[in-house]
Amino acid sequence: MKIAFLVPAYNEAATIGELLTRIDALGIERQIVVVDDGSSDGTAAIVEAYAAAHEGVVLLRQENRGKGAALRHGIPYLDADVTVIQDADLEYDPAEVPHLVDPIERGTADVVYGSRLSGGRAQRAYMFWHLMGNRFLSLLTGVLFNTTLSDMETGYKAFRTDVLKSLPLTEDQFGIEPEITGWVCRRRLRIYEVPISYYGRTYDEGKNITWRDGFRAVWVLLRVRFARAR
């Protein structure tokens, strides 16, 4: 199957070149769609130079509006059987993509979540309250949607591309993660989880998500759960 990598990027000049190189090191049929979310550090220039030397790399630009807006901007340009949402900061290693997409390629899954909390892979010891918040949101997701997802906030997700394109997404910021989860659960899609490694960043290293995004996530989960079916 052809795999599309949908990469939202904001000021990731330090890692975006290495990310693109790692994706191509997989040696698979692929498309890379990078959405530059108003970067001011040369991220777009690095991608533009890489695209000039490699086929199948699409660079899109927008004003800084957030991860959700970047993903929504890039979705219409996807041209592959499977899409992986790939952050540009290397918290998630593209080397694990074959493992991530395997349930879709086997025909058993519509969506696959890479879980940082199911064990078996390398994990950076990260912030306690982020861990507690993630576990709370995963528990709330289970209660609202009758699912057993262990890591609903993971940034590593794979989709059948037609499924991703069909989701009625509206969130501009990090609320896109619970919004995606809510709709795939509402539609009773075949969701699988696989363990993944996590090379997390601290705030000093550029991490952006805060406790405010946790409150937004609760609101988004409730909104999707009780919205009209779409």
Side-chain angles (χ1 to χ4, degrees):
M1 289 185 172
K2 183 179 180 180
I3 299 175
F5 292 80
L6 178 54
V7 185
Y10 175 67
N11 287 344
E12 301 291 359
T15 55
I16 189 69
E18 174 67 17
L19 172 70
L20 297 173
T21 300
R22 289 192 192 184
I23 291 174
D24 277 337
L26 296 174
I28 60 176
E29 184 181 7
R30 59 88 183 124
Q31 177 196 32
I32 304 174
V33 178
V34 179
V35 184
D36 181 71
D37 187 38
S39 297
S40 59
D41 68 346
T43 296
I46 293 171
V47 177
E48 192 170 38
Y50 194 89
H54 300 82
E55 295 183 358
V57 181
V58 178
L59 172 63
L60 306 174
R61 303 171 190 250
Q62 65 175 27
E63 295 181 359
N64 180 235
R65 294 172 55 206
K67 181 178 181 178
L71 292 176
R72 292 190 294 107
H73 186 59
I75 286 172
Y77 294 85
L78 299 173
D79 181 24
D81 305 292
V82 179
T83 296
V84 172
I85 294 178
Q86 173 74 60
D87 288 347
D89 55 16
L90 294 179
E91 286 192 334
Y92 304 97
D93 188 351
E96 297 189 5
V97 164
H99 169 64
L100 184 68
V101 304
D102 181 66
I104 298 177
E105 292 187 329
R106 290 175 179 268
T108 59
D110 301 309
V111 183
V112 181
Y113 277 47
S115 174
R116 300 164 291 181
L117 303 178
S118 56
R121 300 270 172 158
Q123 300 288 320
R124 179 173 182 174
Y126 55 107
M127 293 169 280
F128 175 79
W129 289 114
H130 273 254
L131 176 63
M132 291 299 100
N134 195 350
R135 287 181 172 171
F136 170 76
L137 291 173
S138 295
L139 175 62
L140 180 62
T141 300
V143 170
L144 292 174
F145 299 99
N146 191 29
T147 184
T148 58
L149 285 171
S150 67
D151 189 6
M152 61 78 64
E153 279 280 350
T154 179
Y156 230 9
K157 302 180 182 74
F159 307 80
R160 283 179 27 217
T161 300
D162 61 317
V163 166
L164 180 58
K165 287 185 173 183
S166 74
L167 300 179
L169 304 176
T170 60
E171 288 290 314
D172 282 346
Q173 304 288 334
F174 290 113
I176 195 72
E177 306 288 8
E179 187 176 37
I180 288 172
T181 297
W183 282 116
V184 299
C185 290
R186 273 288 302 270
R187 294 185 172 186
R188 298 185 178 181
L189 298 169
R190 298 174 300 169
I191 310 171
Y192 277 63
E193 279 191 315
V194 298
I196 58 166
S197 303
Y198 181 60
Y199 304 92
R201 298 191 297 180
T202 66
Y203 287 116
D204 290 340
E205 294 166 331
K207 195 171 189 68
N208 294 313
I209 195 167
T210 71
W211 59 269
R212 294 181 182 86
D213 297 297
F215 284 104
R216 180 69 185 181
V218 171
W219 161 247
V220 172
L221 288 171
L222 291 169
R223 174 176 63 78
V224 175
R225 173 61 182 83
F226 296 107
R228 293 182 180 180
R230 296 171 66 181

